Amino acid sequence: MLGTNPYPFVRLMDRVIKWVEETGERVVVQSGNTPVTNDKIEAHPFMDHSRILSLMQEADVVITQGGFGGLQDCIRVGARTIAVPRMVELGESTDDQIEIVNALAEENLIIPLYDVEELADAIELAKNMNIESTTNYELPRHIATTITGFLRK
């Protein structure tokens, strides 16, 4: 999931394409404003939220940008999640997503990926993650508490 940010996330998309070419795995991408130049990937610029949630639940691993909404959905459905924060200095966003990715990684809710060249290793780690759906407790409160604690450090 590359989100709906108006800035393309080419760094992540290019590495996912390379991984697909190496492995032949099936990948469905919500690409937003990022161009997809590979016909082996099923790409949808934008999707209904219910469809995204359904795909998350079916996926072995979800790879997403580090935006709050997508991460919250991943955690809520219990997806094995790799989060790649968008970086301001690379023109991927107007704000870095590192803080939220770091905070959720500290809680062992996601696997952070800062160097996209390590994608294959992160996917293997994610496949072995033991994670449960968190729909049974107050997820927004938990995330807010986690982020607030991180920011006060």
Side-chain angles (χ1 to χ4, degrees):
M1 295 187 324
L2 302 180
T4 58
N5 191 309
Y7 303 94
F9 201 8
V10 176
R11 171 173 62 105
L12 178 55
M13 190 69 256
D14 285 351
R15 187 58 188 101
V16 169
I17 288 170
K18 184 177 175 185
W19 182 80
V20 167
E21 290 171 347
E22 293 167 352
T23 65
E25 292 281 344
R26 176 179 179 254
V27 172
V28 178
V29 175
Q30 180 274 313
S31 59
N33 291 299
T34 304
V36 178
T37 58
N38 186 297
D39 61 359
K40 293 180 174 76
I41 292 175
E42 181 184 333
H44 305 274
F46 302 95
M47 288 188 233
D48 289 336
H49 189 244
S50 61
R51 176 75 174 129
I52 290 173
L53 292 175
S54 177
L55 287 168
M56 283 181 188
Q57 290 172 322
E58 295 169 15
D60 292 332
V61 173
V62 174
I63 303 165
T64 185
Q65 50 94 41
F68 177 78
L71 289 171
Q72 179 177 323
D73 287 341
C74 288
I75 293 165
R76 182 174 285 139
V77 301
R80 290 176 173 87
T81 304
I82 298 168
V84 182
R86 288 175 176 263
M87 307 294 284
V88 172
E89 62 268 17
L90 299 177
E92 298 167 342
S93 183
T94 57
D95 60 328
D96 285 329
Q97 299 174 338
I98 291 173
E99 289 87 0
I100 189 169
V101 169
N102 287 343
L104 295 175
E106 284 183 14
E107 293 289 321
N108 296 314
L109 295 170
I110 62 163
I111 294 175
L113 180 61
Y114 307 102
D115 180 354
V116 295
E117 292 306 313
E118 297 175 6
L119 179 64
D121 293 337
I123 290 170
E124 288 307 311
L125 280 173
K127 285 181 178 179
N128 294 311
M129 259 179 107
N130 184 15
I131 191 163
E132 297 178 17
S133 173
T134 56
T135 56
N136 294 329
Y137 72 88
E138 185 60 40
L139 179 66
R141 183 180 51 76
H142 176 71
I143 290 174
T145 301
T146 299
I147 292 170
T148 301
F150 177 79
L151 294 174
R152 288 184 180 157
K153 289 182 181 178

